Amino acid sequence: MARANGFTDGHRVHLLQGAEELFPALIEAMDGARSEIQFETYIFDCTGSGATVAEALIRAAARGVCTRLVVDGVGTGALQPAWIARLRAAGVQYCVYSPLGPLGLLLPHQWRRLHRKLCVVDRRLLFCGGINVLDDFHDPNHGPLDAPRLDFAVQASGSLVALASDAMEQLWWRMQILRSARRHHLPQALQALRAVGARHAVAAAGTSMRLALVLRDNVRHRSRIEQAYRRAIGAAQREIIIASAYFLPGGKLRQALVMAARRGVRVRLLLQGRYEYFMQYHATRPVYGALLDAGVEIHEYAPSFLHAKVAVIDALGERPWATVGSSNLDPLSLLLAREANVVVQDVAFARELRERLVHAMQHAGRRMDPARYAGRPLRQRVLDRIAFGLMRLALWVAGRRYF
């Protein structure tokens, strides 16, 4: 079995942009499922096109497909009772990851969330990326959107699928163990424990595309995703393009970007230009200065919310590197959440992703002018520093070193 952080050959992978491209592919795969669907997501919202995904899960479970759905206790919140009833009546095994207790997010251990977005169908197809089950034109906090949210996912086949399936299976049974233990169903907990790891990965034939599944958790894989980024940035020769919805990299990652720019690599960042959350919006700005001084280009996406978590390096060279996943480059993703990224070494894929990101920067991005950044209003600078300080305080409370 290939290691989860190592590249394996023999894959096919397709880039999908937004729910408009992901949901039809996802629904087609689920409607063709014969034995099993494993689904994990941070947000599961049945408004608009999100309902079509829920309906596909219901159809699959109703015809006897083993269908498991895991949602995050913060991201999804309280799903409408009518939808929960329909899912369970059809036979969908529905579970909430780390539901909030009476103290909510006041307890630091509750900051560890399930943020990855994964779906495996029949251990044959994998969907991985940053796209939640959420309509492109709907935001739970801000209502209707004038333009679609910018986000990406991939559909992949090959030996990587089994690795993702095993990781999802392991999380599922750990959740069942904890639930059984809390209810004092110890025999059932022991039975679930024996089920963990019962499956093994199998290789699938395909093309010569090389992929790796990079997971982040709070046990064995605490820094895998950040390490993958730093290695790729350190090896960059011509160009780095990163799109990150929430961007607050730690000191080592910031230094890697600065060093790349200073050695002549063109570094372009596509970041959030619309106000979404106080902390994520304002805490990001204090790190702009050092990056701009080093020659890093910062483009802010404004037509809608940027939700992408992707990067492409040296796409026009002989050894391109690209990643699509759920991990932002901020402390919540890199230190606390469960995340999943697919890394791709393929010329055609890297160039397609680059083309889409360059188009977004040129047609929907506003380049940050260093003079404009330095001259931003006093009120904004104060808010930026407050947010940055609060983020550092929160990490100190959580016992994490980052900056």
Side-chain angles (χ1 to χ4, degrees), residues 390-401:
L390 289 174
M391 183 68 77
R392 297 191 67 166
L393 176 62
L395 293 175
W396 178 80
V397 170
R400 301 298 181 117
R401 296 182 62 184

Side-chain angles (χ1 to χ4, degrees), residues 72-325:
D72 184 75
V74 171
T76 298
L79 197 62
Q80 292 180 352
W83 277 108
I84 294 178
R86 289 191 62 195
L87 290 165
R88 289 182 170 157
V92 176
Q93 300 176 55
Y94 174 79
C95 198
V96 178
Y97 178 89
S98 190
L100 292 180
L103 295 180
L105 292 173
L106 293 177
L107 301 176
H109 75 269
Q110 289 284 17
W111 301 347
R112 300 176 179 178
R113 308 313 311 173
L114 177 69
H115 194 245
R116 64 195 193 190
K117 293 90 179 173
L118 292 170
C119 180
V120 170
V121 178
D122 290 342
R123 291 174 68 85
R124 179 179 56 87
L125 282 178
L126 165 67
F127 296 87
C128 175
I131 304 173
N132 290 290
V133 178
L134 183 64
D135 190 284
D136 274 343
F137 289 87
H138 168 73
D139 186 274
N141 299 309
H142 298 270
L145 302 176
D146 295 330
R149 193 179 293 103
L150 181 63
D151 208 346
F152 296 93
V154 294
Q155 175 184 322
S157 61
S159 59
L160 201 71
V161 180
L163 297 175
S165 178
D166 287 343
M168 298 173 77
E169 181 92 351
Q170 192 173 64
L171 177 61
W172 175 266
W173 286 114
R174 283 176 178 170
M175 294 174 67
Q176 305 315 304
I177 291 166
L178 290 173
R179 184 157 59 176
S180 296
R182 289 193 188 103
R183 296 176 179 176
H184 307 292
H185 296 164
L186 297 183
Q188 292 91 326
L190 292 173
Q191 181 180 2
L193 181 62
R194 286 192 290 270
V196 175
R199 293 181 170 181
H200 302 279
V202 294
T207 69
S208 61
M209 298 179 76
R210 303 185 71 231
L211 273 67
L213 178 67
V214 188
L215 302 174
R216 199 227 153 258
D217 59 34
N218 291 290
V219 183
R220 295 178 56 198
H221 310 299
R222 293 172 180 263
S223 57
R224 289 284 175 84
I225 291 177
E226 181 177 358
Q227 288 173 356
Y229 264 97
R230 282 166 45 198
R231 281 195 298 267
I233 291 168
Q237 296 180 349
R238 301 179 183 180
E239 180 185 59
I240 297 169
I241 300 177
I242 296 174
S244 184
Y246 309 128
F247 181 81
L248 186 53
K252 292 181 179 179
L253 192 51
R254 289 204 308 274
Q255 186 63 20
L257 291 169
V258 167
M259 290 176 64
R262 287 178 176 168
R263 68 173 184 267
V265 177
R266 186 181 185 185
V267 182
R268 287 184 279 181
L269 306 178
L270 181 61
L271 306 179
Q272 187 77 266
R274 283 185 66 171
Y275 184 94
E276 187 174 11
Y277 303 110
F278 172 80
M279 288 291 288
Q280 283 87 342
Y281 183 86
H282 284 288
T284 295
R285 269 67 191 165
V287 308
Y288 280 12
L291 296 171
L292 290 169
D293 289 344
V296 174
E297 299 176 28
I298 297 176
H299 301 258
E300 293 189 321
Y301 187 82
S304 186
F305 291 119
L306 173 73
H307 201 253
K309 306 144 186 64
V310 302
V312 60
I313 295 176
D314 290 342
L316 303 181
E318 296 179 354
R319 301 183 63 185
W321 182 96
T323 186
V324 176

Side-chain angles (χ1 to χ4, degrees), residues 60-81:
R63 65 176 186 270
V65 175
C66 177
T67 305
R68 293 174 178 167
L69 171 62
V70 181
V71 304
D72 184 75
V74 171
T76 298
L79 197 62
Q80 292 180 352

